[in-house]
Amino acid sequence: MKNILVTGGTGYIGSHTVLELLENDYNVIIVDNFSNSHPKVLDALETIANKKIKLFRTDIRNKEKLEQIFKEEAIDAVIHFAGYKAVGESVFQPLKYYNNNLTGTITLLEVMEKYSVRKLVFSSSATVYGTPEKMPLIEGEPTGATNPYTRTKLMIENILEDLSVAKDTWRLLSLRYFNPLGAHNSGDIGENPNGIPNNLAPYITQVAIGKLDKLHVFGNDYPTEDGTCIRDYVHVEDLAKGHVDALQYLETSKKGFDIFNLGSGKGYSVFEIISSFEEVIEEKIPYEITGRRAGDLPVTYADTTKAQNDLNWKAQKNIQEMCRDSWNWQKKHPNGFED
Ligand code: NAD
Ligand code: UFG
């Protein structure tokens, strides 16, 4: 298996995965419409990897174009990142999410079927566990969606499972990511949110660089030791490695469809994340406690036994490395790919 089509390959997780694939001697073909990324990501990737990378600028819902790519390239497997991911936005613009995430995935699967490419790794999310009763989260446990974004992830998992039942030559994997953090060790690619960040780490680094005044901590009255929410943060380079392990697993797997958590298995509170950033930045992060954010769970972290046993994958990097690398990227590129 040599030629890997990566949809959304210039996005945050996709770009790090592209580098990991190249390091492991895969050929990469990127498809991205730059709806949430910057064309300069390609330059950064080519500089870091020191090779040319093939990229098709197109929307995966453009079936004709996608077919052309499958006709021209001898694709062996697909890693599918392309989709919208903002939970809050999905509540107000559900059709935008259903259209892009579902239509995009169905179009991709139809084209894969037509060209007999039946290996796919899909980006799912830890949010599919809904409002769980106990921790850590294990793959077989009940799922639920509290917003349209998460519902698209669950629907796609169902579609993949149905496909695997319909034809036993499909090999489909869903990876449920926990909270990605960090950036490439070069500091030249990283998370590059449009506008004001929704997520904790980019918000903190933008406060530290002086773009934002202060962090708003969404609630300190949760039933946790320091009252703030606990999440399972995982270095984006570890996540990227998980995709290479997933591809290797698909080569020999007898299962048509399977699901794996990708997390570190450890939980950190918002205050602990602030402290870790303060250590690497060597400055205090100004913050204010505000009310809870709707839909936030007090605690989530993964059981990673299945990924360890079957994929031979385990997160290696600790929270200091995650904060250091996020900060390094922010410091080196205060305006993201505009610098
Ligand atoms: P991202 O927005 O940085 O990357 C997604 C990429 O897909 C972008 O480059 C965007 O331009 C592209 N894209 C979107 N729709 C497209 C379309 N129709 N055609 C072609 N390209 C398209 O997001 P990310 O953080 O790298 O996440 C990648 C995947 O992982 C997403 O599916 C997301 O839902 C999932 N995920 C992300 C997180 C997270 O916290 N970052 C957590 C769990 C799951
Ligand atoms: N938080 C703040 N202030 C902020 C941003 C976040 O206090 O400005 C808190 C949140 O309340 C939460 C924690 O920091 O307690 C982490 O919040 P994030 O928004 O960074 O991450 P979430 O766990 O809410 O969700 C993220 C992505 C989802 C993804 C999920 C995977 O937004 O898309 O991780 O578990 F699916």
Side-chain angles (χ1 to χ4, degrees):
M1 201 154 72
K2 286 301 291 174
N3 297 330
I4 311 300
L5 184 84
V6 182
T7 75
T10 58
Y12 174 43
I13 307 171
S15 57
H16 291 82
T17 302
V18 163
L19 290 178
E20 195 59 35
L21 289 166
L22 293 172
E23 255 179 49
N24 285 274
D25 292 328
Y26 288 97
N27 296 321
V28 172
I29 299 123
I30 298 176
V31 175
D32 205 303
N33 63 357
F34 299 122
S35 56
N36 197 38
S37 63
H38 200 288
K40 283 192 184 156
V41 176
L42 183 66
D43 302 336
L45 290 175
E46 289 183 336
T47 305
I48 297 169
N50 194 23
K51 64 168 85 158
K52 289 298 276 179
I53 301 167
K54 202 172 256 187
L55 181 144
F56 294 92
R57 181 178 193 158
T58 183
D59 192 302
I60 57 166
R61 289 166 290 184
N62 183 340
K63 199 171 190 177
E64 240 170 70
K65 188 74 211 259
L66 207 54
E67 285 210 23
Q68 207 182 317
I69 297 167
F70 274 77
K71 237 183 257 169
E72 283 170 17
E73 310 291 331
I75 293 161
D76 295 301
V78 178
I79 305 184
H80 178 34
F81 295 103
Y84 294 144
K85 63 167 182 177
V87 172
E89 185 186 56
S90 79
V91 174
F92 298 102
Q93 298 189 55
L95 292 177
K96 176 175 170 180
Y97 278 71
Y98 288 120
N99 190 330
N100 196 28
N101 295 6
L102 294 180
T103 311
T105 304
I106 292 168
T107 308
L108 173 67
L109 291 166
E110 283 173 345
V111 175
M112 288 177 68
E113 170 68 38
K114 180 162 176 186
Y115 291 89
S116 303
V117 178
R118 296 203 184 86
K119 293 193 177 86
L120 175 116
V121 178
F122 170 64
S123 301
S124 187
S125 159
T127 58
V128 301
Y129 290 106
T131 313
E133 307 260 294
K134 56 179 176 6
M135 290 295 145
L137 294 164
I138 304 175
E139 288 85 349
E141 275 171 10
T143 52
T146 55
N147 58 76
Y149 162 75
T150 301
R151 223 176 315 281
T152 67
K153 294 293 178 192
L154 276 177
M155 286 175 172
I156 293 167
E157 287 193 352
N158 290 337
I159 291 170
L160 298 181
E161 185 164 20
D162 287 343
L163 260 188
S164 74
V165 171
K167 194 174 260 169
D168 64 10
T169 47
W170 279 102
R171 292 291 177 270
L172 303 153
L173 272 196
S174 181
L175 302 180
R176 292 176 177 170
Y177 312 146
F178 282 67
N179 292 50
L181 220 167
H184 189 257
N185 57 63
S186 63
D188 288 329
I189 55 165
E191 192 171 8
N192 185 35
N194 281 327
I196 296 177
N198 294 310
N199 300 115
L200 182 61
Y203 206 107
I204 291 177
T205 58
Q206 291 201 13
V207 169
I209 205 91
K211 288 182 144 189
L212 296 167
D213 284 350
K214 61 182 170 198
L215 172 72
H216 301 274
V217 173
F218 299 143
N220 66 346
D221 57 351
Y222 284 97
T224 61
E225 211 162 292
D226 65 21
T228 64
C229 294
I230 290 177
R231 293 288 178 276
D232 178 331
Y233 296 92
V234 54
H235 199 296
V236 67
E237 290 188 319
D238 278 329
L239 269 192
K241 285 188 201 318
H243 292 77
V244 173
D245 295 335
L247 284 181
Q248 281 159 5
Y249 173 83
L250 284 186
E251 293 267 33
T252 53
S253 170
K254 300 270 181 292
K255 276 192 182 172
F257 174 66
D258 215 345
I259 298 175
F260 293 96
N261 287 339
L262 293 188
S264 67
K266 293 189 199 78
Y268 290 92
S269 73
V270 174
F271 282 155
E272 286 173 320
I273 296 299
I274 296 174
S275 299
S276 298
F277 270 110
E278 286 177 339
E279 259 172 53
V280 300
I281 297 170
E282 296 177 338
E283 256 179 51
K284 284 282 174 204
I285 307 290
Y287 69 82
E288 180 191 346
I289 312 284
T290 58
R292 292 182 176 194
R293 182 171 68 177
D296 273 345
L297 295 170
V299 181
T300 55
Y301 58 94
D303 183 307
T304 58
T305 314
K306 195 171 174 219
Q308 280 180 52
N309 289 346
D310 296 355
L311 300 182
N312 201 20
W313 177 88
K314 192 175 187 303
Q316 302 294 331
K317 294 188 186 247
N318 62 31
I319 200 73
Q320 282 77 22
E321 293 169 293
M322 296 183 218
C323 295
R324 180 200 62 199
D325 293 343
S326 284
W327 176 233
N328 189 27
W329 150 249
Q330 179 77 77
K331 217 172 26 174
K332 233 175 142 178
H333 299 276
N335 298 311
F337 292 98
E338 298 298 341
D339 283 320

